[in-house]
Amino acid sequence: MSKTRIKGLLFDLDGVLVSTEQNHFHAWKSIADKYQISFDELDNERLKGMSRGDSLKIILELGDILISEDEFNDLLHLKNQIYLDSIQKLNQKDLLPGVLALLNKAKSKNIPCGLGSSSKNAKTILNLVEIETYFDSIIDGNGVEFPKPNSEVFLNGAMELGLTPNEIIVFEDAESGVKAGKDGGFFVVGVGNIHIKKSVDVFVSSLLDFNLDEYA
Ligand code: BG6
Ligand code: MG
C-alpha cells in the first residue's frame, strides 16, 4: 500500500484499546468450569473477536455438550454478568500502551477514527475509559448482522467514515478480526498478540510502536 493513502483508522476494542480480553477469558473460564470443560488460554484464542453467542458455541463444542436454547441464553446472560462485574472499576488507566497518544495524533492530523468491535458492551467500555469522543463512527456487536470473522463490522465503519477499505488501517489483536479486515480489503496492523503475527500486514507489540506519520 502507498504510505500516503491512509485517510482513516478503525480500531478493534478488546485487546487493542483496552485490556479487557483477560476479563472475557476469566468469565468464559468460569462458565467452562461449571460444565467441567477443559478450557485454557490457547482455546481462548479461538474466541477472541467472536460474538458472545459464537464463543459459547465453541466452548460447548469443546466439551461435547448439548444444552437447550433456554439454558444457552441463560449462560450468555450469566457470562455477561460475570464479565460486567469484573470491569466495574475499569478506567482510563486500563487503556493499553500508546492508545491515547495515537488517538491524539490522529486527531491532530484530522484522520477520522472508528470503532469496529464485536462487543455489545463496547459503548459502556468506551465510556468507562473515557475515549468515546475520539470516535467518528462506532460499530459494535449490536449493529451487525454477521459478526467477525465476517467483514461487515469494518465495512460499515468504512462507510460511516466515508472512506474505502484501501484508505483505512484496521488495528486488530484477534485471528477472527484479522480475517475480517483482510477479507474486507483493509491494511491490517496486528497489535500485541503473537499468534496473529503471520497473518497481518504489519505487527507491533503495542501501539507505542506504531508511528502514524509513516502512513498518513
Ligand atoms: C470481542 C471480544 O471484542 O467481543 C470477545 O474479543 C467477546 O472476547 C466479544 O466475546 C463479545 O463481547 P460482549 O461484550 O458482547 O460479550
Ligand atoms: Mg480484540
Side-chain angles (χ1 to χ4, degrees):
M1 99 168 338
S2 154
K3 290 193 170 184
T4 54
R5 281 172 58 195
I6 285 304
K7 294 183 180 159
L9 307 178
L10 285 175
F11 293 88
D12 172 51
L13 176 68
D14 299 298
V16 168
L17 299 177
V18 195
S19 59
T20 37
E21 210 44 91
Q22 276 300 308
N23 301 71
H24 280 296
F25 170 63
H26 289 300
W28 284 128
K29 177 83 182 130
S30 57
I31 299 292
D33 287 351
K34 199 171 143 73
Y35 287 82
Q36 281 140 28
I37 300 169
S38 155
F39 177 69
D40 61 19
E41 299 238 16
L42 201 58
D43 298 317
N44 189 56
E45 282 302 313
R46 292 177 57 199
L47 269 55
K48 285 185 180 175
M50 307 286 275
S51 71
R52 201 180 305 165
D54 287 344
S55 300
L56 181 54
K57 279 185 202 156
I58 293 173
I59 291 176
L60 294 172
E61 271 168 29
L62 282 173
D64 217 1
I65 285 175
L66 287 174
I67 56 174
S68 70
E69 197 179 327
D70 282 352
E71 196 173 348
F72 187 90
N73 289 330
D74 287 349
L75 282 182
L76 290 183
H77 183 71
L78 176 62
K79 186 269 172 178
N80 200 42
Q81 276 312 119
I82 298 169
Y83 174 67
L84 289 178
D85 284 350
S86 79
I87 59 160
Q88 265 181 28
K89 291 189 177 148
L90 202 72
N91 64 62
Q92 209 171 66
K93 291 194 192 98
D94 296 300
L95 285 173
L96 287 165
V99 169
L100 267 188
L102 178 54
L103 291 173
N104 280 317
K105 182 85 180 178
K107 200 173 180 179
S108 73
K109 285 173 155 299
N110 284 321
I111 304 275
C113 293
L115 189 87
S117 168
S118 299
S119 175
K120 294 184 171 168
N121 297 301
K123 284 195 179 156
T124 305
I125 293 179
L126 288 182
N127 266 318
L128 286 170
V129 296
E130 300 172 53
I131 54 171
E132 193 169 357
T133 53
Y134 284 96
F135 294 93
D136 303 279
S137 157
I138 295 175
I139 311 284
D140 64 16
N142 302 296
V144 289
E145 191 178 351
F146 304 106
K148 297 173 189 174
N150 191 287
S151 306
E152 184 185 350
V153 65
F154 292 133
L155 291 175
N156 288 357
M159 217 161 11
E160 283 203 357
L161 295 184
L163 299 171
T164 55
N166 65 339
E167 297 173 318
I168 294 176
I169 292 179
V170 161
F171 294 89
E172 259 295 346
D173 72 311
E175 203 61 68
S176 62
V178 172
K179 183 165 170 29
K182 292 302 295 173
D183 287 356
F186 297 86
F187 186 84
V188 179
V189 172
V191 187
N193 181 0
I194 203 77
H195 294 101
I196 60 165
K197 196 168 180 175
K198 285 195 184 134
S199 336
V200 294
D201 294 300
V202 166
F203 180 80
V204 289
S205 300
S206 86
L207 288 177
L208 286 176
D209 296 334
F210 178 81
N211 183 3
L212 186 56
D213 289 332
E214 288 178 17
Y215 297 86

